[in-house]
């Protein structure tokens, strides 16, 4: 339940990254609503292959849904789209704008997340003002190619190195959640394990339950 | 010669859009410096196929040159990159963020340009707060595919419809400048007619001279 200036209270437990290419049925709006009803606590909108106008218009439509359920909307990469729709935050990767620059643009109240795969990246993200980090890819995944999985040892080193929330990402599904027992992560980020499923709400709900039992 | 808050004094006479793919030799930094020394008065940085980080870093390097010569730097499409490097403005097309939204993000002092091909687009751009419009493509061009050239009659209708500066774009070269005699345009925008030439400075200088004699 996200309210302005309450970014420290964000629940990262089930973090959904969208990917229209991986969807089987329904519109993205419907999928996001079902995901939220199933227990997703953060929505990240990720669109790499559309025009700025289309990304903006999609973000406006998704924002209506996340606002209705008071779930934070995070825009991938495009700080300008986040500003244009007054999203709650931005997520940047290592090939996007540096977190330090994003913080200057967005000011102190917006959420900034950074994708990291190593302790040094995690420490830099935290030092530059990130509110949370995504750590991954934890497994080989179809969504992101050419990424060597992050070892569990590296994840634990990252957990020891930073105090900001950590979500793990990359190939997480309901069977694998158990792998994160006693890792003190704050949430799991999923793409296909929710967005590609026939029953999105049930998929989210199962993942959420298993995560909470960790 | 651009100074803060002097956007009404911008000289649009020779407006260069960059395109690294069309360059033969030298770095983009060198090309931009040569273009400015040859008489280019505005530099628009256009990068569609690189990461946000690479675009940002390139924009930082180009900004050093434009700042040295007090020439406004305009960023294509990416309002966030413009904010990140404190560029003088942003140029948006019909598939980018609406000018009205860009104006909300950038505030009153930054330059906003909009690509238009019809009177209605030009009028909307002006109404939404654009500082200038690009009209084109004026000819068939290799840079932009699938565009039907704007007729001279439509250009004249646009000129009558809006009072903000107009630059024409799309296939302009030194032979064609004469076509714009008595059209009351404020400048010509070029890509390959400058950036692809062996002697960039001389190419710019020739174009500038011909435009000023119109």
């Amino acid at each position: 339940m996200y309210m302005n200036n309450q970014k420290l209270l964000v629940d990262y437990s089930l973090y959904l990254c969208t990917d229209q290419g991986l969807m089987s049925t329904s519109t993205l709006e419907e999928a996001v609503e079902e995901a939220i009803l199933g227990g997703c606590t953060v929505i990240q909108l990720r669109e790499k292959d559309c025009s700025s106008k289309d990304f903006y218009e999609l973000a406006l439509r998704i924002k209506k849904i996340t606002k209705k359920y008071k779930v934070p909307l995070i825009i991938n990469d495009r700080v300008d789209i986040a500003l244009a729709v007054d999203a709650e935050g931005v997520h940047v990767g290592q090939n996007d704008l540096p977190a330090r620059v994003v913080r200057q643009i967005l000011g102190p109240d917006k959420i900034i997340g950074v994708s990291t795969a190593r302790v040094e990246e995690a420490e830099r993200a935290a030092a530059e003002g990130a509110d949370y980090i995504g750590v991954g890819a934890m497994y080989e995944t179809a969504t992101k190619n050419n990424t060597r999985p992050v070892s569990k040892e590296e994840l634990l080193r990252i957990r020891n190195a930073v105090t900001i929330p950590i979500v793990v990402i990359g190939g997480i599904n309901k069977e694998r959640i158990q792998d994160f027992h006693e890792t003190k992560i704050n949430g799991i980020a999923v793409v296909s394990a929710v967005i590609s499923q026939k029953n999105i709400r049930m998929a989210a709900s199962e993942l959420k339950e298993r995560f909470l039992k960790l």
Side-chain angles (χ1 to χ4, degrees), chain A residues 14 24-26 30-40 174 191-207:
Chain A
L14 189 55
S24 48
T25 51
S26 76
E30 291 166 342
V32 164
E33 182 152 26
E34 283 298 301
I36 292 172
L37 291 169
C40 285
K174 60 186 178 185
V191 191
S192 58
V194 166
I195 212 87
S196 307
Q197 307 307 305
K198 232 177 212 164
N199 192 329
I200 286 175
R201 194 192 301 206
M202 194 188 294
S205 171
E206 268 193 278
L207 287 164

Side-chain angles (χ1 to χ4, degrees), chain A residues 34-165:
Chain A
E34 283 298 301
I36 292 172
L37 291 169
C40 285
T41 55
V42 179
I43 303 294
Q44 181 193 129
L45 192 58
R46 181 158 65 179
E47 290 296 322
K48 289 289 183 192
D49 299 314
C50 71
S51 71
S52 295
K53 185 185 180 191
D54 288 346
F55 195 170
Y56 166 67
E57 290 174 351
L58 179 66
L60 278 181
R61 296 198 299 274
I62 299 298
K63 179 80 196 293
K64 277 190 192 164
I65 298 158
T66 57
K67 193 179 175 187
K68 177 175 167 191
Y69 294 101
K70 295 192 173 63
V71 162
L73 174 65
I74 308 288
I75 303 293
N76 184 276
D77 180 14
R78 295 289 301 265
V79 181
D80 47 359
I81 303 291
L83 288 168
V85 305
D86 193 26
E88 281 71 30
V90 168
H91 187 91
V92 287
Q94 296 293 321
N95 289 319
D96 299 333
L97 283 173
R100 173 185 53 77
V101 175
V102 179
R103 179 60 73 204
Q104 283 168 7
I105 297 173
L106 289 181
D109 294 338
K110 295 290 187 185
I111 301 167
I112 297 175
V114 179
S115 297
T116 62
R118 297 182 291 113
V119 169
E120 308 83 71
E121 289 173 354
E123 288 176 330
R124 192 185 326 123
E128 292 191 3
D131 295 297
Y132 75 91
I133 52 173
V135 176
M138 297 308 301
Y139 304 91
E140 307 251 337
T141 148
T143 319
K144 293 251 183 183
N145 294 321
N146 305 319
T147 45
R148 199 170 59 181
V150 174
S151 68
K152 191 165 172 188
E153 291 67 38
E154 189 71 6
L155 173 62
L156 293 172
R157 278 193 290 273
I158 293 172
R159 179 66 292 175
N160 283 325
V162 301
T163 55
I164 55 177

